């Protein structure tokens, strides 16, 4: 009876998932990606249900082991059901849908076999999950490869499903969407670690030596009691974990910088403003101190890059001064070393970050090459981010295009538009008026900031629509259609 | 459920859980019939791979400990195995690192022999089954605990 009750629970939950998926089809989404995820979840729930029922009817060789398996399957199904929230949250009315497609395009260009689902979350955080690899690993010892792959890949061209989250509170803070650049870095940091794990001899022995030194264990270990051995193992894994987690965040920060340039640095600095610059929290997930992160990001710009950015953009003295002042303020902040002192105070962080520093040059090279391979370099922003785009913004016109000296229309790109948005912000809207005699101007300030965000969003929307129209025109030409074709 | 310490990611915990319960079932069948049926061949190969990963991390305790370079996968596997042993220390009769090493060697060799059609000692098969059964229970225990309340004996 006990086993039968467990199986009933499993089947009930699996059916509930499929019922919910049916209802989710009634909602509207900015792209097909959310319903694609719904299909994958639905398929997995079906094959899990079928497999457990099949094993039950065949008769398990060991009842107690089978019961454990059914319980694991129930917990897994519950987890799948919880993931349906990503789909429900990704509806058109909950997302700034005109931003979704342009961001997805950048994501799909960097990660060609992927699709993206972008949705707001109540937690104040930007996040990214990849679900196919997680489902694949979780179910690989329950389902046959054939059945699992059929459920995971209904469309063979999609190998990864990325779910990105942004804080609901910042839904209309368009310029903070630059932080998605960090999230797009997570698949890249996985690629880096896949490579590094095959060559762990390059860094792991040095880590082990430092741990042995710290614990005064540079001797025969076989005589250690089990508890002492566990302590040694614990420190080794803690050091590896801190190193891994810190390095992954720094890789993502570097991806963000190479994608979005100064805008990335400013958005991160804005995000860090309310945090302790030198806070070191060891428990998972560990993030490097913000001062450390900002320093790593700032050092990604070659020494004269900002000078070239200003020259090629032909920005005036006011903008140049505002930009240089902003960079200088960040430089002064990261020149202090309170973060490094704190990291050195603890043996585990000291060891982890010593190893991390050794790896950083290689990491920087890896990120640049990886992005360049898919068409993105920091230098793309030189000249493309320019005074003509900025002038439109200054005149309350979406900065999506301008007329060049030759009289031709030049259409902007998402990365440059976000950068001019930040330049405008830095030069005019860094903070609201705070003296008592301008109290009544506070609303006016926030209205202007809101307008700035909307203009940048409108520019991105326009650029995307133009690009979609251009694609349609080319397709029409190729197919030689007459009249309007339907998708 | 997706990855969100060398506390392994949740997907890995599910993987270890399903693998361990299958392996325990396979070994129960072997103890009963003296044979491993076709449906369990792949399972025993995968569990041997798991033991190989554990052995890679176990080198951290060996003579050439400073040359050991276990990957995250190996460290995760070893951590789960160590947690099982510590939780059932009396049952496995392990007091020190040397005995721990010998136990893992026994488990590894038992699976190696089964995978190559040889007949390992019954006591070793029983020990191996006990290990995987306990590992499955531990993984189920981890997953049954709300994420924010999960702790590990190792930590």
């Amino acid at each position: 009876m006990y086993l039968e009750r467990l199986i009933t629970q499993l089947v009930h939950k699996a059916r509930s998932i499929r019922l919910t998926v049916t209802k989710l089809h009634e909602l509207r989404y900015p792209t097909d990606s959310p319903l694609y995820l719904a299909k994958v979840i639905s398929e997995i729930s079906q094959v899990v249900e079928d497999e457990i029922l099949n094993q039950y009817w065949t008769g398990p060789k060991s009842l107690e082991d089978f019961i454990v398996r059914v319980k694991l399957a129930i917990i897994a199904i519950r987890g799948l059901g919880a993931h349906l929230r990503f789909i429900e949250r990704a509806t058109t009315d909950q997302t700034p849908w005109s931003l979704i497609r342009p961001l997805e395009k950048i994501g799909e260009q960097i990660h060609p076999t992927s699709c993206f689902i972008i949705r707001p979350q109540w937690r104040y955080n930007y996040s990214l999950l990849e679900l196919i690899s997680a489902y694949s690993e979780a179910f690989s010892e329950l389902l046959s490869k054939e059945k699992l792959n059929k459920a995971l890949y209904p469309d063979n061209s999609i190998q990864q499903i990325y779910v990105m989250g942004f804080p609901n509170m910042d839904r209309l803070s368009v310029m903070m969407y630059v932080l998605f650049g960090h999230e797009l870095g997570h698949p890249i940091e996985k690629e880096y670690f896949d490579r590094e794990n095959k060559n762990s001899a390059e860094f792991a022995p040095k880590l082990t030596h430092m741990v042995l030194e710290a614990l005064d264990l540079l001797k025969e270990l076989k005589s250690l009691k089990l508890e002492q051995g566990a302590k040694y193992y614990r420190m080794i894994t803690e050091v590896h974990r801190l190193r891994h987690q810190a390095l992954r965040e720094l890789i993502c920060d570097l991806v963000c910088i190479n994608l979005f340039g100064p805008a990335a640095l400013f958005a991160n600095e804005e995000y860090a403003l309310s945090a302790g610059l030198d806070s070191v929290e060891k428990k998972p997930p560990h993030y490097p101190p913000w001062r450390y992160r900002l320093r790593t990001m700032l050092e990604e710009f070659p020494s004269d890059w900002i000078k070239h950015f200003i020259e090629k953009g032909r920005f005036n003295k006011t903008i140049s001064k505002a930009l240089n002042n902003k960079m200088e303020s960040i430089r002064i902040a990261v020149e202090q070393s309170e973060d490094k002192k704190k990291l050195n105070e603890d043996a585990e962080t000291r060891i982890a970050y010593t190893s991390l520093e050794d790896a950083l040059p290689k990491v920087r090279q890896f990120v640049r090459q990886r992005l360049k391979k898919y068409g993105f370099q920091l230098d793309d922003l030189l000249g493309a981010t320019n005074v003509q785009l900025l002038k439109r913004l200054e005149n309350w016109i979406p900065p999506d295009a301008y007329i060049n000296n030759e009289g031709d229309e030049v259409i902007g790109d998402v990365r440059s538009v976000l950068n001019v948005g930040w330049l405008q912000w830095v030069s005019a809207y860094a903070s609201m008026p705070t003296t008592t005699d301008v109290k009544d101007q506070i609303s006016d300030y926030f209205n202007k900031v809101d307008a700035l965000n909307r203009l940048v969003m409108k520019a991105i929307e326009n650029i995307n629509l133009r690009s979609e129209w251009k694609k349609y025109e080319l397709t029409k030409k190729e197919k030689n259609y007459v009249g309007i074709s339907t998708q | 459920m997706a990855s969100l310490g060398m506390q392994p990611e949740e997907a890995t915990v599910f993987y270890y859980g399903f693998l361990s319960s299958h392996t325990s079932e396979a070994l129960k069948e072997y103890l009963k019939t003296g044979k491993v049926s076709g449906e369990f061949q792949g399972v025993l190969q995968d569990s041997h791979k798991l033991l190989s990963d554990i052995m890679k991390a176990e080198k951290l305790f060996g003579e050439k400990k400073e040359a050991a370079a276990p990957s995250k996968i190996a460290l995760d596997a070893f951590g789960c195995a160590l947690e099982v042993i510590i939780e059932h220390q009396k049952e496995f009769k392990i007091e020190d690192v040397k005995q721990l090493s010998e136990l893992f060697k026994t488990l590894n060799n038992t699976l190696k022999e089964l995978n190559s059609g040889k007949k390992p000692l019954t006591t070793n098969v029983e020990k191996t089954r006990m290990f995987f059964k306990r590992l499955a229970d531990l993984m189920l225990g981890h997953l049954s605990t709300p994420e924010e309340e999960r702790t590990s004996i190792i930590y």
Side-chain angles (χ1 to χ4, degrees):
Chain A
M1 243 343 242
Y2 178 67
L3 174 61
E4 284 71 24
R5 283 172 63 200
L6 279 175
I7 290 179
T8 304
Q9 254 196 34
L10 175 97
V11 171
H12 175 254
K13 283 169 178 40
R15 287 166 64 97
S16 175
I17 282 178
R18 294 193 292 277
L19 191 63
T20 308
V21 164
T22 307
K23 292 203 168 112
L24 287 172
H25 274 82
E26 293 167 12
L27 305 175
R28 287 175 57 194
Y29 305 93
T31 68
D32 294 335
S33 304
L35 287 179
Y36 183 79
L37 173 60
K39 183 172 180 155
V40 169
I41 290 175
S42 178
E43 299 280 314
I44 293 174
S45 76
Q46 184 70 66
V47 292
V48 168
E49 177 188 327
D50 291 346
E51 180 64 28
I52 292 293
L53 281 172
N54 196 42
Q55 286 185 23
Y56 171 68
W57 287 324
T58 309
K61 306 282 189 301
S62 163
L63 196 59
E64 52 190 344
D65 293 315
F66 181 58
I67 285 174
V68 167
R69 227 157 33 250
V70 177
K71 286 181 179 179
L72 286 167
I74 289 172
I75 297 172
I77 287 284
R78 275 194 227 142
L80 275 181
H83 284 180
L84 292 175
R85 73 182 185 278
F86 300 143
I87 298 150
E88 198 238 2
R89 277 300 185 82
T91 53
T92 308
D93 60 343
Q94 298 205 60
T95 52
W97 59 268
S98 55
L99 274 183
I100 301 303
R101 196 58 204 130
L103 285 172
E104 280 188 352
K105 276 183 182 170
I106 294 177
E108 284 160 14
Q109 194 174 335
I110 300 172
H111 310 296
T113 55
S114 317
C115 74
F116 289 81
I117 295 162
I118 301 177
R119 99 285 180 202
Q121 53 192 15
W122 289 110
R123 212 158 50 101
Y124 194 86
N125 193 22
Y126 293 81
S127 62
L128 183 127
L129 307 171
E130 202 286 296
L131 294 178
I132 296 288
S133 58
Y135 295 160
S136 179
E137 187 178 8
F139 292 108
S140 60
E141 285 295 334
L142 176 66
L143 304 169
S144 70
K145 198 171 178 180
E146 192 195 342
K147 284 179 188 163
L148 182 56
N149 283 348
K150 199 170 171 204
L152 290 175
Y153 307 110
D155 177 342
N156 278 325
S157 66
I158 295 172
Q159 301 290 307
Q160 294 91 22
I161 299 175
Y162 291 107
V163 180
M164 289 170 69
F166 62 92
N168 195 51
M169 192 176 273
D170 276 353
R171 233 158 52 98
L172 297 174
S173 302
V174 173
M175 286 180 299
M176 293 302 279
Y177 280 66
V178 169
L179 295 176
F180 274 120
H182 173 101
E183 302 310 322
L184 290 174
H186 278 297
I188 293 176
E189 52 90 356
K190 282 185 172 43
E191 288 172 27
Y192 175 81
F193 285 114
D194 282 344
R195 211 190 265 198
E196 197 190 56
N197 275 331
K198 291 179 182 137
N199 300 299
S200 49
E202 287 178 6
F203 71 92
K206 193 175 170 186
L207 272 183
T208 306
H209 178 85
M210 287 193 276
V211 168
L212 288 165
E213 229 176 15
L215 291 174
D216 197 21
L217 282 177
L218 288 165
K219 59 178 187 188
E220 171 61 42
L221 297 181
K222 294 283 187 191
S223 56
L224 284 183
K225 288 288 171 201
L226 194 60
E227 294 71 29
Q228 289 171 299
K231 190 179 168 193
Y232 162 57
Y233 164 78
R234 196 210 70 82
M235 189 168 175
I236 288 262
T237 52
E238 185 68 353
V239 162
H240 274 266
R241 179 185 70 82
L242 290 168
R243 178 187 183 276
H244 180 99
Q245 292 193 329
L247 204 44
R248 68 181 266 196
E249 296 306 321
L250 293 173
I251 290 171
C252 293
D253 288 341
L254 291 172
V255 168
C256 197
I257 289 286
N258 278 281
L259 282 178
F260 293 110
L265 184 63
F266 302 156
N268 275 286
E269 193 252 357
E270 183 74 17
Y271 191 87
L273 204 62
S274 57
L277 276 186
D278 305 306
S279 300
V280 177
E281 179 58 73
K282 280 171 66 180
K283 68 174 193 226
H286 168 73
Y287 291 89
W290 267 111
R291 201 185 303 271
Y292 199 102
R293 291 176 71 175
L294 289 169
R295 185 185 302 118
T296 307
M297 285 187 256
L298 183 64
E299 286 170 359
E300 187 62 7
F301 293 96
S303 56
D304 54 354
W305 195 89
I306 292 293
K307 184 167 157 257
H308 289 313
F309 180 74
I310 291 169
E311 278 168 6
K312 295 223 158 135
R314 290 183 286 120
F315 296 112
N316 63 26
K317 280 193 182 137
T318 310
I319 297 297
S320 305
K321 188 178 175 191
L323 178 53
N324 281 321
N325 285 347
K326 182 72 174 171
M327 295 297 286
E328 187 58 20
S329 72
I330 297 175
R331 194 168 289 120
I332 289 169
V334 305
E335 268 169 4
Q336 296 169 52
S337 55
E338 273 310 305
D339 55 317
K340 290 186 179 178
K341 280 189 203 131
K342 270 228 174 112
L343 291 169
N344 282 334
E345 278 165 13
D346 176 277
E348 284 165 356
T349 50
R350 177 177 54 78
I351 295 169
Y353 278 76
T354 303
S355 176
L356 184 154
E357 286 279 334
D358 288 344
L360 259 182
K362 202 188 274 188
V363 158
R364 289 185 191 275
Q365 208 39 19
F366 177 83
V367 167
R368 286 175 209 146
Q369 279 171 356
R370 172 61 173 82
L371 287 174
K372 189 177 174 183
K373 188 178 167 190
Y374 290 94
F376 293 96
Q377 292 181 85
L378 183 58
D379 284 354
D380 296 337
L381 295 168
L382 298 174
T385 313
N386 57 51
V387 68
Q388 284 106 318
L389 284 177
L390 185 59
K391 264 190 193 133
R392 287 177 66 110
L393 202 51
E394 287 169 349
N395 288 289
W396 302 104
I397 301 169
D400 56 322
Y402 61 93
I403 306 296
N404 66 11
N405 292 336
E406 284 77 42
D408 300 319
E409 188 186 46
V410 177
I411 300 170
D413 64 274
V414 173
R415 296 155 75 197
S416 298
V417 168
L418 285 164
N419 269 278
V420 294
W422 271 102
L423 286 178
Q424 180 70 347
W425 175 287
V426 159
S427 63
Y429 299 109
S431 62
M432 67 179 197
T434 49
T435 53
T436 46
D437 56 345
V438 294
K439 256 200 297 199
D440 55 346
Q441 291 176 23
I442 290 173
S443 280
D444 184 52
Y445 167 83
F446 282 110
N447 288 340
K448 288 196 173 122
V449 163
D450 182 51
L452 172 62
N453 276 292
R454 288 178 190 276
L455 285 166
V456 169
M457 179 152 62
K458 185 51 82 176
I460 292 171
E461 185 183 329
N462 287 349
I463 289 167
N464 184 54
L465 285 171
R466 282 167 181 258
S467 143
E468 293 291 311
W469 181 254
K470 201 173 174 181
K471 229 189 324 182
Y472 163 74
E473 289 272 276
L474 281 171
T475 312
K476 203 172 90 167
K477 225 185 231 176
E478 280 166 16
K479 289 186 179 173
N480 215 21
Y481 277 169
V482 176
I484 298 169
S485 70
T486 54
Q487 269 188 308
Chain B
M1 201 177 76
S3 68
L4 314 163
M6 285 300 163
Q7 288 169 347
E9 292 172 12
E10 199 171 55
T12 306
V13 177
F14 273 108
Y15 174 78
Y16 288 161
F18 284 125
L19 175 61
S20 305
S21 78
H22 255 136
T23 305
S24 172
E25 190 171 2
L27 294 174
K28 184 175 180 181
E29 185 194 52
Y30 179 82
L31 286 165
K32 202 174 168 185
T33 66
K35 279 185 289 196
V36 176
S37 59
E39 70 181 278
F40 289 126
Q41 298 285 354
V43 168
L44 289 184
Q45 283 167 7
D46 288 343
S47 41
H48 184 220
K49 188 180 172 311
L50 175 60
L51 253 308
S52 303
D53 286 332
I54 291 169
M55 302 293 286
K56 281 178 194 157
E58 194 270 332
K59 287 188 174 133
L60 287 166
F61 293 86
E63 278 175 19
K64 295 181 185 168
K65 53 190 176 292
E66 290 187 53
S71 61
K72 181 179 183 302
I73 295 167
L75 286 169
D76 278 350
F78 186 86
C80 291
L82 186 57
E83 198 172 337
V84 167
I85 304 304
I86 287 176
E87 199 164 308
H88 301 280
Q89 198 172 345
K90 287 200 173 102
E91 199 176 2
F92 285 101
K93 298 180 182 129
I94 303 289
E95 294 293 327
D96 57 35
V97 166
K98 187 176 178 197
Q99 288 172 335
L100 180 73
S101 239
E102 280 163 11
L103 172 66
F104 287 146
K105 225 177 268 175
T106 301
L107 302 179
N108 187 49
N109 287 341
T110 304
L111 287 167
K112 199 173 170 184
E113 286 171 2
L114 284 170
N115 277 320
S116 51
K118 292 183 182 155
K119 298 266 184 202
L121 289 174
T122 303
T123 47
N124 287 345
V125 177
E126 282 167 352
K127 205 178 278 184
T128 308
R129 189 191 173 217
M130 185 167 70
F131 171 77
F132 279 102
K133 198 165 169 0
R134 296 285 177 252
L135 182 57
D137 289 341
L138 182 73
M139 297 298 101
L140 181 60
H142 271 306
L143 290 165
S144 303
T145 312
E147 208 171 313
E148 53 275 11
E149 290 165 33
R150 281 182 202 160
T151 57
S152 160
I153 286 169
I154 304 295
Y155 294 90

